[in-house]
Amino acid sequence: MENDLESMRARLAEVRLRIEIAARAVHRDPAEVMLVAVSKTHDANMVVAAIMAGQRLFGENRVQEATAKFAGIAQEHPGTLVHLIGPLQTNKARDGVRIADVIESVDRPKLLRALADAVQKEGKCPALLIQVNVGDEPQKAGVARAEADDFIAACRAEFGASVRGVMGIPPAERDPRPHFVWLAACARRNGLDTISMGMSGDFEIAIAEGATHVRVGSAIFGNRPASAATT
Ligand SMILES: *Cc1c(COP(=O)(O)O)cnc(C)c1O
């Protein structure tokens, strides 16, 4: 455990340093870039080690896993915030609203309606990001580029100021930069502050292009089983 904590401290410190260097390189204040530690597939002990090392924001892509892992942790460690970053099924909307401080994956009208219903029943609304399928990839979640502005407007009409920004995952194995540039412009055009983009392999580029939140998993927690795909 002592050892785990030491290596967690070291990995988090390295990622934070890389964030700082990337921000300073483009004359941004590193404090503008929030680190979301993606803890999916890793157990609660790892999360607690990260909390001990000063980490506050965590990303999970499944509602059930997030609830099992964080319901207790959030009580014991006030200030811990959970971001849901994975595709959200409409029948999980209510559980999602219950566990999440931020839902980063609002991506279709059917989910908008399910969330509106859940928000009403739960009497609280998480912060919401609209996920855009920046590469317009058929297998990937997110609203199509061409429909993003209209969908953002529809979400704002329903949720008002709870709609904070956008999230995107560029196509793998290609230059992510043009996709980051597009997503940042989309946020700006719509007057939204939060831009969640960049993962372990490309967060420095995302920061250069304006990311306010980077979602970093493997660089902090190590590799995941191959089945835990990013979608
Ligand atoms: C898993 C995941 C990440 C983190 O990926 P790493 O490459 O491990 O940093 C970021 N965003 C989303 C949406 C994910 O599902």
Side-chain angles (χ1 to χ4, degrees), residues 38 40 61 85 167 169 199-201 215-218 224 230-231:
V38 178
K40 65 187 184 198
N61 66 345
I85 61 174
M167 183 272 253
I169 310 166
M199 318 198 306
S200 292
R215 306 177 310 270
V216 179
S218 44
R224 293 178 295 272
T230 303
T231 41

Side-chain angles (χ1 to χ4, degrees), residues 31-228:
E32 284 173 11
V33 183
M34 309 299 287
L35 172 60
V36 179
V38 178
S39 49
K40 65 187 184 198
T41 77
H42 297 287
D43 65 23
N45 290 336
M46 296 282 276
V47 171
V48 171
I51 291 171
M52 295 304 170
Q55 181 61 30
R56 288 291 170 268
L57 274 49
F58 292 88
E60 286 284 338
N61 66 345
R62 289 169 200 270
V63 174
Q64 255 164 314
E65 184 181 342
T67 302
K69 211 181 290 181
F70 281 90
I73 288 178
Q75 286 205 314
E76 272 174 54
H77 304 275
T80 302
L81 299 179
V82 178
H83 289 227
L84 280 180
I85 61 174
L88 184 56
Q89 292 171 267
T90 51
N91 65 0
K92 301 275 168 58
R94 192 158 177 194
D95 291 336
V97 166
R98 209 174 280 146
I99 190 70
D101 298 286
V102 183
I103 297 178
E104 298 203 10
S105 48
V106 182
D107 68 348
R108 58 198 193 281
K110 206 174 158 208
L111 179 58
L112 188 169
R113 287 191 296 277
L115 284 172
D117 193 43
V119 162
Q120 203 198 4
K121 287 187 173 126
E122 290 298 315
K124 68 168 193 137
C125 187
L128 302 172
L129 306 186
I130 310 310
Q131 182 175 357
V132 184
N133 186 354
V134 284
D136 284 330
E137 297 172 278
Q139 82 284 9
K140 217 172 241 175
V143 62
R145 276 192 185 204
E147 287 155 26
D149 291 359
D150 284 348
F151 186 61
I152 289 168
C155 289
R156 277 180 144 163
E158 182 66 45
F159 302 109
S162 294
V163 177
R164 303 284 164 78
V166 292
M167 183 272 253
I169 310 166
E173 321 286 333
R174 268 182 279 158
D175 180 6
R177 193 180 296 268
H179 299 281
F180 292 151
V181 169
W182 188 93
L183 193 62
C186 176
R188 224 173 293 124
R189 179 168 76 232
N190 286 283
L192 294 168
D193 293 333
T194 300
I195 307 169
S196 173
M197 58 187 189
M199 318 198 306
S200 292
D202 58 15
F203 69 82
E204 280 114 332
I205 302 170
I207 290 168
E209 299 304 340
T212 63
H213 289 65
V214 293
R215 306 177 310 270
V216 179
S218 44
I220 297 170
F221 294 102
N223 290 327
R224 293 178 295 272
S227 61

